[in-house]
Amino acid sequence: MEHSKRHILVMSSWYPSRIDPHVGNFVQRFATLLANDYQVSVIHTVADKNCSTINVSDTTIAGVRTVLIYYPKKQLKIGRWLQRRKALATGLRLVEDVDLVFGHVLLPQGLQFIGAKNYYNCPLVVLEHGSYFRKEKRKSFTKIQRTILKRTSRNIQQLLAVSPRLREDITAVFPTTQIDIVPNFIDTNLFHPKVKRTASFTKFLHVSTLDEHTKNPGVLFEGFYNALQINPTLQLTVLSDQATVLWENWVKTRGIAAHVRFLGPCTWEEIANEMQQHDALIATSRYESFGIVFAEAWSSGLPVFTTSVGIATDLPDFLGRNIPQNDPAALSQLLLSFAAKECVFDSEEISAYAQQYDAKKVLDQLHTIFNTQFSIHD
């Protein structure tokens, strides 16, 4: 059977729903990508405090059959477990003849991946994106989380990570498991350098949720504020799919609101357009398992000024600069140096590097992985 006839079931701990339409959107993009060559379905269970009974949404989105099962949000753990199990059983009955389960993000839904694998008697391939494998998080794994990881490790036919940094962190938990790399992907036809644009060296872009625990936005704003006191021509645009009011008030209080613009949520097309209007991307994250905005920025020809995280770990000079964690002074100095044209970058060279993250190349990798599993299982 050709891969175009195979049925792939995508499952994930994170997936867009009516509860949160943005969480796990990168998994939805994988499902849409696979729909070019496979029959693709999604089963995702979601707790909803407004539900009194199981509620099913069964729609087709961009060629992907998307079955979202909402279940009552119970107070007791046993109640939540029973409702989640019932919701999964509902989804499994609705989707038939699956050839392979493609799971994303093991915690907390990994046991559902195993349930689907056993129900359909098919291979399970898991692509991990989560940041919870880093050292400081591993130490605080609960008993339930450890059980999920232990059981899934025995049932996964192939475990994948989105970056070498994440693979290194996962290996501490799965020391005997071979872990291959399949990166997140971008649309290189959408993210590309703007033709005949003259760089201004003063327009900076930040794209994130602004989560204080992982994205560390205080360093971003403090560093930009300090640089602005020396060079008042600097501009910062912040794109976020989460609330920005806290930081909007922060910049107003410090009198720099005219220099900082907040936008979002934004579509891929809108993000690509903003990248073409800016000179460099800034990131101050404490941790990234991948960092999709790095690949998008590079494909757009932008250098990246970031902490050493994700695919921007130990950054080569032609792609941008790494800055120390929690160091707004270092960020400020880098922005001033760039604005003074003391470090110059070749946008075409940067964009060429990003072609490794092109959607077609990632899809070809998945073809090879899936076909290997099909040949073993058939």
Side-chain angles (χ1 to χ4, degrees):
M1 185 183 292
E2 295 295 325
H3 65 243
S4 60
K5 303 295 184 181
R6 298 285 190 173
H7 187 184
I8 308 297
L9 174 63
V10 174
M11 302 184 74
S12 177
S13 292
W14 308 332
Y15 204 83
S17 69
R18 69 189 185 206
I19 305 302
D20 189 332
H22 305 293
V23 66
N25 55 13
F26 52 86
V27 180
Q28 185 177 45
R29 290 170 185 168
F30 266 100
T32 303
L33 177 67
L34 289 170
N36 289 306
D37 292 330
Y38 299 93
Q39 178 186 348
V40 180
S41 299
V42 171
I43 294 177
H44 185 59
T45 63
V46 190
D48 185 348
K49 65 181 180 180
N50 295 315
C51 280
S52 57
T53 60
I54 296 287
N55 178 260
V56 177
S57 169
D58 188 346
T59 59
T60 298
I61 303 173
V64 177
R65 184 183 179 189
T66 305
V67 181
L68 303 178
I69 307 99
Y70 299 91
Y71 60 89
K73 193 171 186 178
K74 300 293 184 179
Q75 293 295 326
L76 297 177
K77 285 184 179 181
I78 185 64
R80 293 197 297 271
W81 180 79
L82 289 171
Q83 287 293 332
R84 192 182 303 118
R85 186 176 180 179
K86 184 178 178 181
L88 176 62
T90 300
L92 295 177
R93 287 194 297 269
L94 288 171
V95 178
E96 300 178 341
D97 302 323
V98 168
D99 295 299
L100 182 143
V101 176
F102 188 27
H104 298 254
V105 192
L106 282 170
L107 294 178
Q109 303 277 56
L111 295 182
Q112 290 196 349
F113 306 169
I114 300 173
K117 162 193 156 67
N118 293 336
Y119 183 86
Y120 297 111
N121 186 29
C122 69
L124 170 61
V125 175
V126 172
L127 177 57
E128 186 56 76
H129 309 252
S131 62
Y132 42 75
F133 285 100
R134 65 190 190 271
K135 187 175 181 180
E136 56 270 29
K137 288 289 185 180
R138 292 197 303 267
K139 294 178 180 178
S140 59
F141 278 160
T142 66
K143 184 177 180 179
I144 292 176
Q145 289 173 325
R146 293 183 185 280
T147 299
I148 292 171
L149 294 174
K150 185 175 181 180
R151 288 190 59 188
T152 52
S153 69
R154 298 171 180 169
N155 286 273
I156 295 172
Q157 273 58 60
Q158 187 152 8
L159 179 58
L160 311 168
V162 292
S163 71
R165 167 57 67 87
L166 181 56
R167 175 170 61 182
E168 181 181 332
D169 290 338
I170 295 175
T171 300
V173 179
F174 297 94
T176 62
T177 303
Q178 178 180 330
I179 304 170
D180 296 318
I181 304 296
V182 172
N184 284 315
F185 66 90
I186 59 173
D187 183 347
T188 55
N189 293 318
L190 183 62
F191 291 92
H192 58 82
K194 185 175 182 179
V195 178
K196 296 182 180 179
R197 177 179 179 270
T198 301
S200 64
F201 296 90
T202 58
K203 296 179 180 179
F204 299 99
L205 182 67
H206 176 80
V207 185
S208 84
T209 61
L210 296 178
D211 178 79
E212 294 191 49
H213 297 292
T214 56
K215 307 304 181 182
N216 208 8
V219 172
L220 166 74
F221 290 105
E222 193 68 40
F224 179 77
Y225 173 80
N226 292 340
L228 191 61
Q229 305 314 298
I230 298 173
N231 184 339
T233 68
L234 303 184
Q235 297 287 329
L236 173 65
T237 298
V238 177
L239 308 185
S240 181
D241 59 16
Q242 300 299 316
T244 60
V245 63
L246 172 68
W247 296 106
E248 289 184 60
N249 290 335
W250 192 96
V251 300
K252 288 177 183 177
T253 300
R254 284 156 182 79
I256 62 169
H259 296 267
V260 182
R261 186 170 60 123
F262 291 89
L263 296 173
C266 296
T267 64
W268 253 8
E269 290 78 11
E270 290 167 336
I271 294 172
N273 180 64
E274 287 297 327
M275 287 190 171
Q276 290 186 341
Q277 309 305 318
H278 288 77
D279 303 308
L281 179 81
I282 307 173
T284 53
S285 301
R286 292 186 172 93
Y287 183 90
E288 295 284 351
S289 60
F290 183 79
I292 190 70
V293 293
F294 300 149
E296 292 168 346
W298 290 331
S299 190
S300 303
L302 299 187
V304 170
F305 302 149
T306 176
T307 45
S308 186
V309 294
I311 57 173
T313 299
D314 300 326
L315 203 57
D317 282 350
F318 78 94
L319 292 176
R321 296 289 188 274
N322 284 135
I323 56 174
Q325 289 277 357
N326 302 309
D327 195 341
L331 174 59
S332 177
Q333 184 55 49
L334 180 55
L335 300 185
L336 292 171
S337 177
F338 179 71
K341 302 181 182 180
E342 294 172 358
C343 49
V344 180
F345 301 89
D346 184 332
S347 63
E348 294 299 327
E349 182 182 19
I350 294 174
S351 184
Y353 176 85
Q355 299 310 300
Q356 63 186 294
Y357 305 114
D358 177 70
K360 186 179 184 306
K361 291 186 178 180
V362 173
L363 184 58
D364 287 344
Q365 283 183 268
L366 292 174
H367 285 334
T368 300
I369 291 166
F370 292 171
N371 285 339
T372 298
Q373 293 304 321
F374 295 146
S375 65
I376 294 171
H377 189 264
D378 288 347

